[in-house]
Amino acid sequence: MRYLDEAQHRIVSEAVAGAELSTSGEIVPVLAERSDGYTDVALWWAAAFAFTAMSVFALFPDVFLDLRSAIAGAWAAEPTLGESFALITGFGLVIFFAVLALQLIQPVKFTLIPSPVKRQRVRDAAIRHFKVGAERRTHGRTGVLLYLSMSEHRAEIVADEAIAAIVPAEVWGEAMADMLNEIKQGRIAEGLAAGVRDVGVVLAEHFPRGDEDLNELPDRLIEV
């Protein structure tokens, strides 16, 4: 799924090119639909609901057995121990697959994912993209990656070791705030461009552009 058209990509690319005019740093913006499939989380929720349902069945068997009798007819025989176990297991399986199917609806799925899990998965994805697209790919190790994950509504900024050694992580807060303020209003390209410009200001302060500086990474938005 693409979020931005060519004109919007150009807005971000031009912001990158402009920001890098005053710094030797390289800025890599990445836009992702999501950071993880969260299959494990979906399975945990399904198992939790199934176990809870089976526990309720075991605690209040008469309610479920009366319902079975009402469905099967008044002359239905009392279930054996094996049949009761099969009923509980079958009930649990129905709940398990029903909860899994419910999580195929993406808004429901992402609502059920705990915030700490989203935060960690987004951070991990940002670091993976940074290692592939920016880490140690510049002469002075001065790459910065802006990572935006749409489904989780989260963003990360990851800096190369030369920058991280000088610039505290808190310094990127203004860039993050400016970026997210625009994105919350539906202006994704403008938000990324704002974040890029703010990062450029920080980099220009600590890593000004030299006369012989070369543009080592493409000035473009990577959409994955």
Side-chain angles (χ1 to χ4, degrees):
M1 176 180 177
R2 286 180 62 89
Y3 283 92
L4 304 182
D5 58 26
E6 291 303 319
Q8 292 169 315
H9 269 259
R10 195 157 49 248
I11 290 172
V12 182
S13 297
E14 289 173 355
V16 174
E20 291 180 357
L21 288 175
S22 56
T23 177
S24 61
E26 296 284 342
I27 305 170
V28 180
V30 176
L31 173 63
E33 181 183 359
R34 67 180 62 189
S35 294
D36 192 74
Y38 300 99
T39 302
D40 57 330
V41 179
L43 289 171
W44 276 110
W45 275 117
F49 273 93
F51 179 77
T52 301
M54 292 168 68
S55 298
V56 172
F57 194 130
L59 287 172
F60 305 101
D62 291 343
V63 175
F64 294 94
L65 293 177
D66 289 345
L67 179 61
R68 170 188 174 276
S69 297
I71 295 172
W75 297 100
E78 288 293 318
T80 63
L81 182 62
E83 290 173 336
S84 297
F85 179 77
L87 280 172
I88 294 176
T89 303
F91 182 61
L93 286 173
V94 168
I95 297 299
F96 180 87
F97 288 110
V99 173
L100 270 185
L102 182 63
Q103 291 179 88
L104 293 175
I105 304 171
Q106 295 306 301
V108 174
K109 180 177 185 175
F110 278 88
T111 298
L112 290 174
I113 300 169
S115 290
V117 174
K118 289 181 186 176
R119 189 181 309 116
Q120 187 59 51
R121 301 285 170 92
V122 170
R123 180 67 180 174
D124 291 344
I127 292 172
R128 285 197 304 273
H129 283 287
F130 176 73
K131 288 180 180 296
V132 172
E135 186 179 36
R136 300 184 180 181
R137 293 188 63 187
T138 62
H139 177 70
R141 295 183 180 178
T142 54
V144 176
L145 181 135
L146 277 77
Y147 179 80
L148 177 63
S149 193
M150 297 300 296
S151 294
E152 291 89 349
H153 299 163
R154 279 172 168 75
E156 288 284 344
I157 296 177
V158 185
D160 222 328
E161 55 190 65
I163 297 173
I166 298 174
V167 182
E170 303 79 43
V171 171
W172 307 118
E174 184 176 348
M176 191 74 74
D178 288 344
M179 179 168 62
L180 295 180
N181 283 339
E182 293 284 349
I183 292 169
K184 287 175 183 177
Q185 299 177 57
R187 297 193 290 268
I188 300 173
E190 291 79 2
L192 285 165
V196 165
R197 286 190 291 268
D198 287 350
V199 168
V201 170
V202 175
L203 290 178
E205 179 182 350
H206 297 281
F207 300 91
R209 188 182 182 93
D211 294 335
E212 299 179 0
D213 186 74
L214 299 175
N215 191 13
E216 298 174 273
L217 297 177
D219 298 334
R220 64 183 180 90
L221 169 66
I222 300 171
E223 191 168 352
V224 295

